[in-house]
Amino acid sequence: MEWNETLYKLEVEQLIDRAVDLLLQDHSSIHIYTVSIWTDPDAAISALSIDTEEHSKSHVESHGAYNAKQRKYWLDAGDEEMANLFNNELDRCRNPADFELRNLVKCEHQAFEPLWAERTEGQCWDVLEPALLQIADYAVERFNKLRLADDAMLGVNSRRDWFDHTHALPAASA
């Protein structure tokens, strides 16, 4: 089996539904700031992670302090090229591995076999990325019943990044 798009969408929709149920049952007091849905085509796994605004701001502050320290170190050492690598500033935590509820739910895919990206030399993303965009639409619909921060955001991964195509999550509930 190379790719079963219908099964993939079903698997990820079930992942989203499990996450929503878990959030309603076990994490109903948090305001969701960032949602990440990612698929690793080589591991044949998808996961959904959640971050709160407080956690994200703490991460951004920590990241900024680390960057400032590194910039100073490299400038003092006379290496402007290295110092410039630490010029990036974050507006929010965008790495699902650093989210407060990292990998809240995961699923192992039956819709495709492991090492899909490797076997196809990355061409799997030609069908996976559009499917993830459709999944994002489903997730936006499902998450609107949860407690969302005013500027809540959902992102899905792409061939370029673990948190890429972003969508606003309208704060329908407070």
Side-chain angles (χ1 to χ4, degrees), residues 98-135:
D98 294 328
F99 283 14
E100 185 169 346
L101 299 175
R102 174 182 182 251
N103 298 340
L104 177 67
V105 289
K106 290 174 77 172
C107 75
E108 294 182 21
H109 287 290
Q110 303 304 308
F112 57 90
E113 295 177 4
L115 302 177
W116 186 25
E118 183 178 310
R119 283 193 324 277
T120 64
E121 296 179 350
Q123 291 181 10
C124 64
W125 286 105
D126 294 344
V127 293
L128 183 56
E129 216 164 323
L132 276 161
L133 290 172
Q134 291 175 8
I135 290 297

Side-chain angles (χ1 to χ4, degrees), residues 2-167:
E2 189 62 34
W3 164 248
N4 183 330
E5 183 174 2
T6 303
L7 179 57
Y8 171 76
K9 288 178 183 175
L10 178 65
E11 290 170 340
V12 181
E13 286 173 359
Q14 289 173 345
L15 172 93
I16 293 164
D17 292 342
R18 283 195 334 264
V20 168
D21 290 345
L22 189 60
L23 287 162
L24 287 169
Q25 292 169 10
D26 297 343
H27 303 282
S28 61
S29 65
I30 70 167
H31 280 88
I32 297 166
Y33 185 58
T34 313
V35 178
S36 167
I37 301 169
W38 57 263
T39 297
D40 182 334
D42 282 333
I45 289 174
S46 286
L48 189 147
S49 301
I50 301 289
D51 206 7
T52 62
E53 189 169 8
E54 300 78 24
H55 184 268
S56 182
K57 284 184 178 184
S58 173
H59 177 80
V60 167
E61 286 176 22
S62 175
H63 183 268
Y66 176 80
N67 277 355
K69 182 178 177 182
Q70 290 299 311
R71 269 192 307 274
K72 181 178 178 348
Y73 172 83
W74 289 109
L75 286 172
D76 290 349
D79 192 335
E80 194 170 330
E81 187 177 340
M82 278 300 292
N84 287 337
L85 294 176
F86 297 94
N87 281 338
N88 62 334
E89 297 297 325
L90 297 177
D91 61 337
R92 71 170 63 215
C93 181
R94 293 176 176 266
N95 184 346
D98 294 328
F99 283 14
E100 185 169 346
L101 299 175
R102 174 182 182 251
N103 298 340
L104 177 67
V105 289
K106 290 174 77 172
C107 75
E108 294 182 21
H109 287 290
Q110 303 304 308
F112 57 90
E113 295 177 4
L115 302 177
W116 186 25
E118 183 178 310
R119 283 193 324 277
T120 64
E121 296 179 350
Q123 291 181 10
C124 64
W125 286 105
D126 294 344
V127 293
L128 183 56
E129 216 164 323
L132 276 161
L133 290 172
Q134 291 175 8
I135 290 297
D137 292 338
Y138 178 81
V140 167
E141 237 177 72
R142 292 290 287 132
F143 271 83
N144 73 5
K145 69 166 62 172
L146 300 173
R147 296 179 68 177
L148 302 171
D150 288 337
D151 54 350
M153 175 188 292
L154 176 135
V156 296
N157 70 316
S158 70
R159 69 180 83 220
R160 291 172 302 282
D161 200 354
W162 288 103
F163 187 84
D164 196 2
H165 302 289
T166 59
H167 307 266

